[in-house]
């Protein structure tokens, strides 16, 4: 039995928590005709968590949507250069987003409406997800340097030699 990575297990747990809260919201609103007020806000925040943690998983698995046209038709040396530039830009963007989310989290004083928790907790989680994405991007870039792989999609050749 293979144990899933921690981020996959966490997103699975948050997703099912989100599903339960949305079902509770639906049940109380349409069956009991008396909806619970906090379910809508918490469902919104859980959806944000699932989205950003899912994005981190997509970076780890290298399954984000990408434009593969140039990799297919450029000469080997230019394709490697393009891959390095794309890796550098992705790492830079995700690193900047990590720093900005940390600053936002540190500067946020606002509380959630329905429960007594600061929104900085939510922003901190998003910053953590951006940090994970940055680390996974660095690992992917290093793998590209060592192995010379494109690694952008299953139907793209594993190396430029093919």
């Amino acid at each position: 039995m293979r144990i899933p990575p921690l981020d996959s297990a966490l997103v699975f747990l948050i997703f099912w928590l989100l599903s339960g809260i949305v079902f509770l919201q639906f049940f109380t609103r349409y069956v009991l005709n008396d909806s619970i007020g906090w379910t809508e806000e918490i469902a919104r925040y859980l959806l944000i968590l699932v989205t950003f943690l899912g994005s981190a998983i997509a970076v780890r698995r290298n399954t984000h949507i990408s434009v593969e046209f140039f990799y297919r038709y450029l000469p080997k040396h230019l394709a490697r250069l393009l891959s390095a530039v794309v890796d550098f830009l992705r790492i830079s963007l995700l690193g900047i987003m990590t720093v900005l989310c940390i600053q936002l989290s540190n500067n946020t004083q606002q509380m959630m409406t329905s429960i007594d928790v600061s929104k900085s907790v939510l922003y901190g989680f998003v910053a953590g997800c951006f940090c994970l994405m940055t680390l996974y991007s660095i690992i992917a870039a290093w793998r590209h340097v060592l192995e010379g792989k494109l690694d952008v999609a299953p139907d793209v050749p594993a190396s430029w030699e093919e």
Side-chain angles (χ1 to χ4, degrees), residues 6-158:
L6 184 60
D7 54 2
S8 296
L10 184 59
V11 79
F12 183 78
L13 177 70
I14 294 171
F15 175 79
W16 282 106
L17 183 62
L18 169 64
S19 299
I21 289 176
V22 169
F23 177 77
L24 178 65
Q25 181 182 17
F26 172 81
F27 182 78
T28 57
R29 179 175 290 165
Y30 294 109
V31 175
L32 301 178
N33 287 327
D34 186 25
S35 65
I36 301 173
W38 57 267
T39 56
E40 182 180 349
E41 182 182 23
I42 299 305
R44 185 180 322 118
Y45 295 145
L46 289 175
L47 184 59
I48 291 169
L49 299 183
V50 165
T51 301
F52 281 97
L53 193 54
S55 291
I57 292 169
V59 172
R60 176 174 49 83
R61 296 175 62 196
N62 207 19
T63 55
H64 271 291
I65 295 172
S66 62
V67 178
E68 302 162 6
F69 176 81
F70 297 109
Y71 292 107
R72 293 178 190 273
Y73 299 108
L74 282 174
K76 179 171 75 169
H77 67 282
L78 289 178
R80 285 188 183 201
L81 178 65
L82 178 62
S83 178
V85 168
V86 168
D87 286 337
F88 174 76
L89 291 174
R90 178 173 56 176
I91 291 167
S92 300
L93 173 70
L94 293 171
I96 290 168
M97 293 303 296
T98 301
V99 171
L100 290 174
C101 281
I102 290 170
Q103 290 174 353
L104 179 64
S105 177
N106 290 336
N107 293 330
T108 300
Q109 305 293 326
Q110 188 177 12
M111 302 296 281
M112 294 180 189
T113 305
S114 58
I115 60 173
D116 196 27
V117 175
S118 174
K119 284 188 179 180
S120 66
V121 172
L122 176 69
Y123 299 144
F125 187 89
V126 171
C129 290
F130 273 120
C131 183
L132 266 178
M133 287 186 251
T134 305
L135 292 175
Y136 290 152
S137 293
I138 291 169
I139 292 168
W142 184 249
R143 191 173 60 239
H144 292 161
V145 168
L146 292 179
E147 300 174 9
K149 284 186 166 185
L150 277 171
D151 201 17
V152 290
D155 61 340
V156 174

